[in-house]
Amino acid sequence: MVGKAEPVNGSVKSGSNQSIPATMQSPLKKSDLIPNLSLKTLKLKTKQQELLIRVSILCLVYVLAFITRLFSVLRYESMIHEFDPYFNYRTTLFLTEKGFYEFWNWFDSESWYPLGRIIGGTLYPGLMVTAAIIYWLLRFLRFAIHIREVCVLTAPFFASNTTLVAYFFGKEVWDSGAGLVAAALIAICPGYISRSVAGSYDNEGVAIFALLLTFYLFVKAVNTGSLAWALASAFAYFYMVSAWGGYVFIINLIPLYVLVLLITGRYSMRLYVAYNSMYVLGMLLAMQIRFVGFQHVQSGEHMAAMGVFFLLQVFFFLDWVKHLLSDTKLFQAFLRITVTTAIGVGAIALGVGMASGYISPWTGRFYSLLDPTYAKDHIPIIASVSEHQPTAWSSFMFDFHILLFLFPAGLYFCFKRLSDATIFIVMYGLTSMYFAGVMVRLILVATPAVCLISAIAVSATIKNLTLVARAKSKVTQTGSVRGSSSSKGSSKPFQRNGAIALLLGAFYLLSKYATHCTWVTSEAYSSPSIVLAARGAHGNRVIFDDYREAYFWLRKNTPPDAKVMSWWDYGYQITAMGNRTVIVDNNTWNNTHIATVGRAMSSYEDEAYEIMRSLDVDYVLVVFGGVTGYSSDDINKFLWMVRIGGGVFPVIKEPDYLVNGEYRVDKGAAPKMLNCLMYKLSYYRFGELTTEYGKPPGYDRARGVEIGNKDIKLEYLEEAFTTSNWIVRIYKVKPPNNRW
Amino acid sequence: MRSKPETQSLTAATEPPSSTSMDPIFHLLRILPFGFLRPPKLRLKLPTLTLPSPMTVYALVLLTYFMVVSGIVYDVIVEPPGIGSTQDRATGSVRPVVFLPGRVNGQYIVEGLSSGFMFVLGGVGVVLMDLALDRNRTKSVKVSYATAGIASVVIAYMMSMLFIRIKIPAYLR
């Protein structure tokens, strides 16, 4: 070191030794350099260590949320699942090919023949626009990816983003520890995974992200009173409105929250600024979506928000008058008059609005959430969807596992430390849990609330336990009055050991949660529904790809303007993959049209032929599970066809198809059942087939009986195609006979 | 802002004597029925509405949570039997079946209620553990809370696992 300094300084050796500053010692020999760096610069301060831990946890959680949803992509292939996502995929394809203007003004004549569907005005465009933007961004960066890959992976990407929002939300409501736990819990919670696996290209995948973002920004606005956060939450609300019809939950929960704050005496200027900005701007933005239109001022479901808006103005006005007046008695009288007048005027306005019909009443879908028995009695289409059934305890357990224990504990912690933010999260949790109890599908909406509240419980409990575990033995003799209750001294190691044991127990429970979630994701929620898998005789996996086989046959072997009649479940898939016009599809917006198809399926062949000729039907598609034992086929859904058809056309009576109230397809079945179109189309030529060893030919494996009518002759239709496992059967409608 | 009768009455009655009221409905009632009717002298007090304490609300919330998580809506709509039954093939006697087999989203009433009770027990256990760490209690109370809490959580978790294993035989396999 000394040798090098000499020529720089150019002075005498003795002098140069003292004049070497400390900084000259660092840029010297490399071997001295590295130990200095590793010892001094890598020793971070505690704050930096904490930041590093937090960031690395969030990165790991982000990656975890993405990869846990990839089971079906790894097992099968990158394809779109289920039914609804196929419509979303088709519209996204249209958007990327034709552009936004064509998409927004699209009238589709390939579905609901002969009515057509105004797609531009009857869908929520958020999902498609999001996927299209990601696609165009990747294309701009010269990644040549097919739009299908983007669609398949949109939902896991947004699930990862949801974990980040959950972290910030947890930090806002409780502290950063709770935020981290919330992010980790929501990343793997099966309730959310069920609708956001890779391939499930559906509105909820994006909507839950928008929901949580709106709630987070609104709570932040209420906590800070800043206009910027309130406007940001309005834009997040706009994104939510564009993404999913469940935005009605937001526009009712937030006014309810404001009302609860007003009742508990927590009115403040922050709340006023936050709610007003969010409501006005949010409402104006929401009206830009054609499907929503003017519902925010016309529909009964949105009136609560407007009522609370006016109530807040009244509160503000009263506050201002109170500030001006110095006489409390005068103010009391004024208060009574104002409140009476305000409530009177509001009630009159609401009454006039509803009586004149300007404000429409609650629609059936949302009314059945408040009164669950309504759908069962009045609207069979809503009642028939399996996702709309009420929830049993095992569904809760499946989707939440130990979060069901932690939820009430978290509520306790929230009630112990009430603030504006915890009141919000409690209300969100309670209302969403009630709705989750009414309809299985809504467990998805409850999942973020349950994860957040459980995270509060976990974080608070673990904090308490670690405090006990890390407590240093202090000197207790000096002036400690409550020395007896603090119980230090002899029982200290016991407490420490107990706390450590409890910590290990907590980690054990959380690890069991992770195991459960991964098992559920892998076994229950990663099935594409369009490709079926079963275990063969020797334990090997057998794949049934019949659906896609049938749709591809339709695409290649039928004239381009052919019209296909099937039950509404398969409409979207037929249009997207088969590229043919359908009569009814999953949108179910026209009950009479669906009832016409239901009537055709349940009538005798000649009556059905009349209906099919009137609808210009060329092909009929039925799904049949008798050979494979597939239980979601059309024969099992047949009673719903009868009910829906009978709801509009009284000639179809459900008791005609039942025997002593029982639904049978074997010899003892009702004669109308044995000769209706659906029966004939499902079991045509099935009587000759032996499906199982030791059973007679014509043994239906899905119902477990031998069919009653084996000798089926079709007069007006002929068989066009049956897939390799007989799951999808397509029939051609014969043109009428030539006249003599 | 409202420019309505309130402001007019405000300006009109800036120095009211303390005995008369500004309320127009009060004046109307004073003239019309009570001009000739004499109300009896009752010693009634308007009940004062106070907000319940947070812990009261929490108890109600816990009760509601128990009902929802037991699947009460499912019970009301689908109306399953309280407990199922199968007929023993050999002897012909009717045996009760507690857990509805075969489906994840189906239950009998009793199985729903018992599972809901286990979930609430687990939650209450965690709450008891937190109460045990509160400084203002005697040591024996703290110890008993802690023991009860830990026992509740352990029992609730084990029973829930047992229930789900009975209901779905392929669970975690």
Side-chain angles (χ1 to χ4, degrees), chain B residues 137-154:
Chain B
R137 297 177 206 270
T138 56
K139 183 172 170 201
S140 61
V141 171
K142 278 168 51 165
V143 166
S144 54
Y145 273 177
T147 327
I150 297 171
S152 299
V153 172
V154 168

Side-chain angles (χ1 to χ4, degrees), chain A residues 317 334 372 376 390 392-395 397-398 401 404-405 407-408 412-413 416 433 440 464 512 516 519, chain B residues 1 6 58 62 65 68 77 104-105 107 111 115 119 123 130-131 133 157 160-161 167-168 170-173:
Chain A
F317 177 64
F334 176 68
K376 189 167 84 148
W393 74 272
S394 39
S395 292
M397 185 70 186
F398 225 55
H401 202 242
L404 284 175
F405 302 142
F407 182 71
Y412 164 75
F413 285 109
K416 228 169 75 156
M433 272 306 267
V440 174
N464 288 341
K512 293 301 278 183
H516 167 92
W519 181 84
Chain B
M1 283 217 252
E6 307 90 64
Y58 176 65
L62 213 55
Y65 176 72
V68 167
I77 296 195
V104 173
N105 197 34
Q107 64 175 41
E111 76 173 276
S115 313
F119 300 146
D130 177 71
L131 283 176
L133 291 169
Y157 177 69
S160 301
M161 285 295 112
K167 183 149 177 108
I168 304 172
Y171 181 64
L172 274 184
R173 224 163 291 152

